[in-house]
Amino acid sequence: MGEEITLNITRYNPDKDGKYTTQRYSIPYKNDWSILDALNYVKAELDGSLTYRWSCRMAVCGSCGMMVNGTPRLTCSTYLNEFYPKEITIEPLANFPVIRDLVVDINDFMAKLKSAKPWIIRKNKRDEDDTSKEYLQTTGQMDKYYQQTLCINCTLCYAACPVYGLHPDFLGPAVIALGHRYNKDSRDEGKADRREVLASEHGVWKCTVVGDCTEVCPKHVDPSAAIQRTKVDSAINWFFSFLTGRK
Amino acid sequence: MAHSMNSISGKTEATKTYRRDIPNTWWLKKGSYFLFILREISSVFVALYAIFLLIQLCALSGGQERYESTAAVFKSGWMIILHVVIWVFVMYNMVTWFRISGRIFGAKPLSPVLVTISNYIIWLIVSIGIIFLLLKG
Amino acid sequence: MDVINHDILIVGGGGAGLRAAIEISKSNPSLKTAVVSKVYPMRSHTVAAEGGSAAVLKEDDNHDLHAYDTVKGSDFLADQDAVEVFVRDATREVVQIERWGCPWNREEDGRIATRWFGGMSRKRTLHAADKTGFHLLHALFQTSLKYDTLMRYDEWFVAALLVDEGKLGGVLALDTRRGVFSILAAKAVILCTGGVGRMYAFTSNAGIKTGDGAALAYRAGAPIKDMEFIQFHPSGLLRTGILITEASRGEGGYLYNKDGKRFMENYAPSKMELAPRDIVSRSIIEEILAGRGFEGPYGSYVQLDLRHLGEAKIMEKLPMVRELCLDFAGMDPVYEPIPIRPTMHYTMGGVHTDKDGKTPIAGLYAAGEGGCVSIHGANRLGSNSLTELLVFGARAGRSAAEYVPISKPCSSERLQSLAKREMDIIQKRYMQPGNGKEKAGAILADLRKTMDEKVGIYRTDDGLKDAVQIIQRLKERFTRIRITQQSKVFNTELTGAMELDNMLEIAHVIAMNARIRKESRGGHARKDFPKRDDEQFLHHSLVFKTPEGPKRETFPVTITKWKPEERKY
């Protein structure tokens, strides 16, 4: 009999009894298994009803975010050997409504994503579809926004943000970081178009700089820095528009 | 018990999602959250110190007697203890503020460390300046 | 059953699907268009593509060269008229996606940079670090949000196409969140569902790559083409099969065997590590079979060495490769060589279409990896696929939009009766009341093992004969699977069963085709027929579903400029 490890996994089935509970599973311990491997084992061998999202298993699609011992993690790149021999608690991502077991509803995030206008905006609309030649952009210019392009939309930052948990109307770290990404892209001219949403009371100004979003981000996007920088931009813009009377 | 999928028309209500309540003690559950709340509370102590400073300034302008009675309160044991507590919180406020400034302004070509250290240097210069003025007087 | 009306549905929200959606929304915003995807679009497997997207951009390059490279790479099975259109559109498409925000790597002067890639005679592969697919997909997805008229059905699983006498009426789709089936009526449907990687055990592909589109089209009466041509990417990370991009060789990485030799010298002395993928993969297997591979707890492998590139270059050009090695192989390529082995990667075959994504069923289109035009023939050159998504996604979108005004919609009664027939099948096949004895997971495991062992890089008649028999047995076992979940909400056992059914359907065709094709060409290598046979087999394999089983026909290859020649690198 090989080594074993215990997983405490959240179960919730609105079709059955609608009870939000924890179920214990004992599985063989393999030194090179990720939490996702463990979940796949449970589903294949022990309990086919266990429900969770996953796809790429290489930390680039953003599907497999869950709470592992209370911290939002990507389960495909979190390994059992980090916790063994202790038990591991796996819960759905915090701050989102739970659809079933470990699957949460991220439609709020999807709607907010659109509201930040995350696309290249040009004053001359014809620029956007002109394929005769590329916009010129140096590596130096790209450095200014590249870090925030790395977001895989895994929403771990939303699960880590207590503000989002307490005030679900908060735009949230990933969305603001994405708005910032476009604001800082030298090819974009849409800063003013995004201002209303980003600088609203549900936008950057709801952030109280807890900083956990940056801590949990698996792609080092540093959304907290993006938010604070957007605050600075927004404040400077307000100050000047106040002085000059222009928007 | 099997049930027929197509007997349910598309008009059903959305499924019941489960909403987890956030307890009032949420900030006790995680180290980073606790430190965050401490940092926020530290601003209260900064404000308190500012008020104390104003009280002493007012007392100064109120004449010798007024000043001495105020000073006596401030020299008492519990006031000193309170001021130590205030000093700890102000230091924490400063350290976290300098660190965050580094994170915000430390984009290329600057670096977070550079910005934070610059803040400390400025603080040091201003502090030495003030101490010098106080000692000179 | 509920019916929701649309003009155009796009099944699959990856690179091809989103590009088609944007094209339609841009030029015909009045059309009611929707993307139906079983996952949120940002999760589509396009996101995992790494190396780059090829196009003629630089002055030292021209379209004929790109076309020739592609045709030669395809082992002369590609349709040359389609390839010529592809390379011409490619130039425009890669600039378009740049205009939509894709952060292509740049030269000093701010123009888009290119890198070397396997089988390409010029440096023409555009790239965004080594996360090109990720950046492309997110640029497309974020741009698609611009169009208010574009709808999406996120996490809806298309269970069947509803076809009325050779004409498409819509799809039957499951809203996985509520567990409710609905009819999504449409005048045109574009299948952009990707390839079949998950039927192999060792694959770079995500869990969602289950050949859904090919199975949907096949069951609806559309033929699928060239399914036997499966691409094995040379550098799959040991243990997981996770992709280590060809760009690692494009930037100068070397392949070593146990004796410390750059063995590609013996197989492709001119191109070395940058020979086309099928050649490199076979070379690695030959080395391993000859006993010159490394052995370890996870099997045999060779080494991909990047150490001589230096940390700075790796961090600039191959940062994701380093991340992947650290996170999934516990090693740092800056200091150690990467253990790799060929991994199933891409499906050259797919739903048979013309240059505009049209299938023989009126109103049905396909694009991307899930379609087969064919521009890749028997083997795809690296970095042609991301370009393919953009080119044929756009073409299929335009083509479907042009068809809509002249199409005749299917009557509501007809749709309901077609849907009911499909629901009865689904009911019987997947929703049995827990009486079956078979576990879907066990059938899937057996399928994956069989494909890896018998329909892999090297194939033999005996092996393929066995494979066909085993798959038929698996299909029979599938009729007795046990679905334990009776709940509606997010029933992954149900969608898993449908995906497995799709894979079994297509695997049968792959194995059958591979057995019939008694030659070696591109990604299809027969140990018993090691030579290419243009006389007997210079044709596409077209397979139709019939009540008697899969029926294979041949389909001619269109040759315009380049006569088939010996393929040497």
Side-chain angles (χ1 to χ4, degrees):
Chain A
M1 186 62 163
E3 296 154 327
E4 294 206 323
I5 187 168
T6 302
L7 308 173
N8 296 306
I9 306 181
T10 301
R11 304 306 306 273
Y12 168 66
N13 189 341
D15 272 344
K16 250 171 77 178
D17 48 21
K19 280 218 251 300
Y20 188 84
T21 56
T22 303
Q23 199 165 341
R24 278 169 83 82
Y25 298 93
S26 230
I27 63 163
Y29 169 70
K30 293 276 189 326
N31 183 48
D32 55 10
W33 272 12
S34 62
I35 307 259
L36 180 60
D37 291 329
L39 291 174
N40 283 338
Y41 176 87
V42 170
K43 191 174 174 74
E45 303 296 331
L46 302 177
D47 187 346
S49 67
L50 182 61
T51 306
Y52 49 96
R53 289 189 178 118
W54 71 281
S55 185
C56 73
R57 51 88 167 110
M58 54 190 271
V60 75
C61 73
S63 307
C64 67
M66 297 173 215
M67 305 302 278
V68 178
N69 284 0
T71 305
R73 307 286 296 268
L74 291 182
T75 51
C76 69
S77 51
T78 306
Y79 292 90
L80 296 182
N81 60 27
E82 190 182 320
F83 309 95
Y84 181 78
K86 295 218 178 75
E87 297 189 354
I88 308 178
T89 300
I90 303 165
E91 300 163 292
L93 273 188
N95 303 338
F96 291 102
V98 185
I99 295 173
R100 169 105 188 254
D101 291 351
L102 299 163
V103 177
V104 295
D105 181 355
I106 61 166
N107 285 337
D108 177 53
F109 165 73
M110 298 297 288
K112 288 182 167 135
L113 208 53
K114 186 182 160 91
S115 73
K117 298 198 166 64
W119 51 79
I120 298 283
I121 296 175
R122 300 283 294 191
K123 294 200 171 49
N124 181 356
K125 291 286 156 221
R126 263 200 292 236
D127 286 348
E128 288 164 15
D129 299 329
D130 176 2
T131 57
S132 58
K133 61 183 183 310
E134 67 264 45
Y135 296 120
L136 290 181
Q137 184 173 74
T138 63
T139 306
Q141 288 172 312
M142 197 160 90
D143 281 344
K144 294 218 163 24
Y145 69 91
Y146 188 73
Q147 193 181 10
Q148 277 76 52
T149 64
L150 299 176
C151 174
I152 61 175
N153 295 359
C154 63
T155 68
L156 295 194
C157 52
Y158 286 74
C161 176
V163 176
Y164 182 67
L166 295 163
H167 307 283
D169 49 5
F170 176 40
L171 213 51
V175 168
I176 299 174
L178 195 58
H180 182 259
R181 168 254 180 279
Y182 280 95
N183 282 346
K184 286 281 181 260
D185 190 329
S186 59
R187 304 170 288 182
D188 176 77
E189 293 168 345
K191 210 161 171 179
D193 300 78
R194 292 182 198 103
R195 193 165 291 132
E196 201 187 317
V197 166
L198 290 180
S200 72
E201 58 170 307
H202 306 303
V204 294
W205 298 110
K206 255 259 176 358
C207 167
T208 53
V209 201
V210 177
D212 268 33
C213 54
T214 291
E215 284 302 307
V216 304
C217 177
K219 296 293 158 185
H220 313 294
V221 173
D222 201 354
S224 184
I227 298 172
Q228 313 324 324
R229 287 177 201 156
T230 307
K231 280 181 190 169
V232 172
D233 279 349
S234 174
I236 290 174
N237 170 267
W238 177 86
F239 181 64
F240 276 114
S241 72
F242 183 71
L243 273 184
T244 64
R246 210 171 1 124
K247 266 236 171 269
Chain B
M1 179 200 70
H3 51 244
S4 162
M5 282 283 184
N6 67 352
S7 67
I8 293 105
S9 77
K11 295 180 187 59
T12 37
E13 71 289 351
T15 57
K16 275 195 300 284
T17 53
Y18 184 83
R19 295 193 117 82
R20 291 160 286 180
D21 288 320
I22 301 194
N24 286 333
T25 51
W26 63 269
W27 51 282
L28 289 169
K29 303 263 191 259
K30 208 168 171 205
S32 55
Y33 291 169
F34 182 67
L35 288 175
F36 159 71
I37 291 291
L38 274 187
R39 187 194 79 204
E40 299 295 280
I41 288 174
S42 71
S43 50
V44 173
F45 289 90
V46 173
L48 192 58
Y49 184 71
I51 291 171
F52 284 162
L53 209 58
L54 282 172
I55 290 173
Q56 289 170 84
L57 277 174
C58 273
L60 251 182
S61 62
Q64 182 82 355
E65 233 184 79
R66 168 101 180 271
Y67 179 71
E68 265 164 25
S69 65
T70 309
V73 176
F74 276 90
K75 284 192 199 150
S76 67
W78 63 271
M79 255 304 190
I80 292 181
I81 292 171
L82 181 58
H83 273 72
V84 170
V85 171
I86 288 175
W87 184 82
V88 169
F89 272 104
V90 169
M91 281 297 109
Y92 186 56
N93 188 295
M94 179 185 81
V95 164
T96 52
W97 177 247
F98 286 177
R99 195 188 321 136
I100 289 172
S101 290
R103 302 295 311 284
I104 298 173
F105 298 104
K108 282 195 201 173
L110 301 169
S111 84
V113 175
L114 188 68
V115 174
T116 301
I117 288 181
S118 314
N119 275 297
Y120 277 108
I121 290 174
I122 295 171
W123 168 76
L124 216 73
I125 293 173
V126 173
S127 300
I128 290 173
I130 291 176
I131 292 171
F132 180 69
L133 278 171
L134 290 173
L135 289 178
K136 204 173 129 196
Chain C
M1 205 181 296
D2 258 7
V3 180
I4 312 171
N5 289 307
H6 311 82
D7 289 310
I8 304 179
L9 285 175
I10 299 160
V11 182
L18 290 174
R19 182 64 187 89
I22 293 171
E23 187 65 23
I24 299 166
S25 307
K26 202 159 63 95
S27 34
N28 303 72
S30 60
L31 288 178
K32 201 162 170 225
T33 313
V35 173
V36 185
S37 171
K38 68 181 181 182
V39 292
Y40 283 97
M42 331 64 99
R43 318 295 186 218
S44 306
H45 198 48
T46 306
V47 82
E50 297 173 19
S53 182
V56 171
L57 264 193
K58 302 295 178 192
E59 284 76 44
D60 69 341
D61 202 358
N62 67 66
H63 290 120
D64 270 356
L65 267 176
H66 188 185
Y68 173 69
D69 288 343
T70 302
V71 169
K72 182 177 173 192
S74 79
D75 221 344
F76 296 92
L77 199 70
D79 293 305
Q80 296 178 16
D81 56 337
V83 173
E84 291 190 86
V85 158
F86 165 66
V87 300
R88 239 162 276 279
D89 279 10
T91 302
R92 193 177 64 222
E93 285 295 329
V94 296
V95 175
Q96 175 65 91
I97 194 66
E98 187 276 330
R99 291 255 153 180
W100 288 340
C102 181
W104 294 121
N105 272 26
R106 303 282 176 159
E107 312 272 19
E108 294 270 318
D109 59 1
R111 307 203 58 200
I112 302 176
T114 53
R115 57 157 58 125
W116 286 106
F117 232 70
M120 297 286 187
S121 60
R122 292 286 183 277
K123 215 172 162 197
R124 65 168 72 98
T125 297
L126 289 74
H127 51 284
D130 53 352
K131 299 178 188 304
T132 311
F134 164 80
H135 283 297
L136 263 178
L137 183 66
H138 281 256
L140 283 168
F141 176 61
Q142 284 154 23
T143 302
S144 77
L145 296 176
K146 218 163 67 168
Y147 302 98
D148 291 327
T149 55
L150 177 63
M151 293 193 305
R152 280 198 338 261
Y153 291 88
D154 292 327
E155 297 190 317
W156 281 56
F157 190 98
V158 174
L161 298 178
L162 303 173
V163 176
D164 181 23
E165 283 161 12
K167 192 184 70 187
L168 191 82
V171 307
L172 176 69
L174 169 68
D175 176 359
T176 60
R177 191 172 154 166
R178 287 177 307 146
V180 170
F181 282 86
S182 302
I183 297 171
L184 302 181
K187 304 185 180 117
V189 168
I190 312 177
L191 296 171
C192 302
T193 51
V196 307
R198 274 282 141 171
M199 64 171 67
Y200 285 82
F202 194 70
T203 174
S204 67
N205 282 199
I208 56 177
K209 298 289 288 291
T210 52
D212 300 338
L216 286 170
Y218 181 65
R219 288 193 199 110
I224 49 181
K225 194 165 75 192
D226 292 345
M227 292 311 302
E228 64 268 40
F229 297 105
I230 299 282
Q231 181 169 82
F232 293 85
H233 193 291
S235 40
L237 204 54
L238 197 61
R239 186 177 74 85
T240 51
I242 286 173
L243 179 69
I244 296 296
T245 176
E246 184 163 311
S248 48
R249 284 169 283 133
E251 295 295 338
Y254 298 146
L255 289 173
Y256 287 113
N257 65 15
K258 193 171 73 176
D259 305 326
K261 184 163 188 286
R262 274 177 76 189
F263 56 86
M264 283 311 298
E265 200 170 31
N266 297 339
Y267 303 95
S270 155
K271 281 258 170 212
M272 294 291 282
E273 282 85 358
L274 284 179
R277 291 172 179 180
D278 57 325
I279 291 176
V280 183
S281 291
R282 277 195 293 273
S283 309
I284 295 175
I285 296 295
E286 289 293 330
E287 290 294 301
I288 288 174
L289 289 173
R292 291 190 288 270
F294 295 86
E295 294 295 326
Y298 298 113
S300 321
Y301 62 95
V302 296
Q303 286 181 341
L304 171 60
D305 199 347
L306 303 181
R307 289 175 295 180
H308 56 282
L309 301 179
E311 184 168 0
K313 185 144 190 223
I314 293 176
M315 286 314 291
E316 191 210 333
K317 295 281 187 176
L318 303 169
M320 175 136 138
V321 167
R322 191 177 190 189
E323 252 180 76
L324 291 171
C325 290
L326 287 167
D327 287 344
F328 299 101
M331 42 84 44
D332 190 342
V334 171
Y335 304 111
E336 289 175 71
I338 311 171
I340 53 135
R341 195 171 84 216
T343 179
M344 186 286 174
H345 182 61
Y346 181 84
T347 313
M348 266 72 76
V351 180
H352 168 56
T353 75
D354 67 6
K355 298 194 283 298
D356 296 309
K358 234 184 334 182
T359 72
I361 294 181
L364 183 63
Y365 298 80
E369 185 182 1
C372 183
V373 185
S374 155
I375 56 165
H376 307 305
N379 170 70
R380 172 174 76 76
L381 290 184
S383 70
N384 264 351
S385 177
L386 288 178
T387 311
E388 170 187 27
L389 305 179
L390 301 174
V391 168
F392 291 101
R395 292 184 77 87
R398 277 196 289 274
S399 172
E402 278 165 26
Y403 168 76
V404 163
I406 59 169
S407 71
K408 288 188 211 46
C410 198
S411 78
S412 192
E413 297 81 44
R414 195 72 188 100
L415 276 180
Q416 292 280 5
S417 85
L418 285 169
K420 174 151 194 331
R421 196 177 66 196
E422 294 296 336
M423 276 311 304
D424 287 343
I425 297 173
I426 289 171
Q427 193 81 333
K428 202 160 137 255
R429 256 180 112 67
Y430 311 120
M431 297 311 296
Q432 290 148 338
N435 278 345
K437 298 266 188 312
E438 298 284 348
K439 267 187 175 169
I443 298 175
L444 179 59
D446 286 346
L447 171 67
R448 303 179 86 203
K449 184 159 171 282
T450 305
M451 295 304 283
D452 257 16
E453 286 172 3
K454 301 186 193 297
V455 198
I457 291 183
Y458 278 118
R459 300 151 176 193
T460 64
D461 186 69
D462 281 337
L464 292 168
K465 192 167 87 181
D466 284 345
V468 172
Q469 281 174 352
I470 293 173
I471 292 168
Q472 277 168 326
R473 269 207 303 277
L474 291 175
K475 281 167 100 167
E476 192 271 326
R477 274 171 65 190
F478 184 85
T479 61
R480 288 178 278 114
I481 53 165
R482 203 168 153 257
I483 304 248
T484 59
Q485 285 191 80
Q486 297 308 325
S487 38
K488 305 201 305 288
V489 175
F490 229 90
N491 190 335
T492 48
E493 262 193 304
L494 173 59
T495 49
M498 293 198 276
E499 287 170 338
L500 176 55
D501 208 359
N502 292 342
M503 285 191 276
L504 287 170
E505 190 94 72
I506 303 301
H508 185 181
V509 173
I510 296 175
M512 180 192 91
N513 273 3
R515 187 156 182 233
I516 294 173
R517 185 173 285 271
K518 293 186 183 6
E519 65 156 355
S520 289
R521 183 187 298 263
H524 170 71
R526 290 281 298 255
K527 274 257 180 252
D528 43 359
F529 295 95
K531 289 220 177 338
R532 193 177 89 201
D533 185 353
D534 285 341
E535 222 147 297
Q536 294 207 62
F537 290 104
L538 186 57
H539 58 246
H540 299 294
S541 333
L542 218 58
V543 178
F544 292 84
K545 186 176 169 100
T546 69
E548 295 77 44
K551 189 173 78 107
R552 182 182 181 274
E553 282 174 20
T554 63
F555 191 79
V557 175
T558 306
I559 296 177
T560 56
K561 283 200 175 99
W562 301 280
K563 289 255 169 308
E565 62 196 34
E566 197 190 351
R567 186 172 170 252
K568 269 225 287 269
Y569 291 93

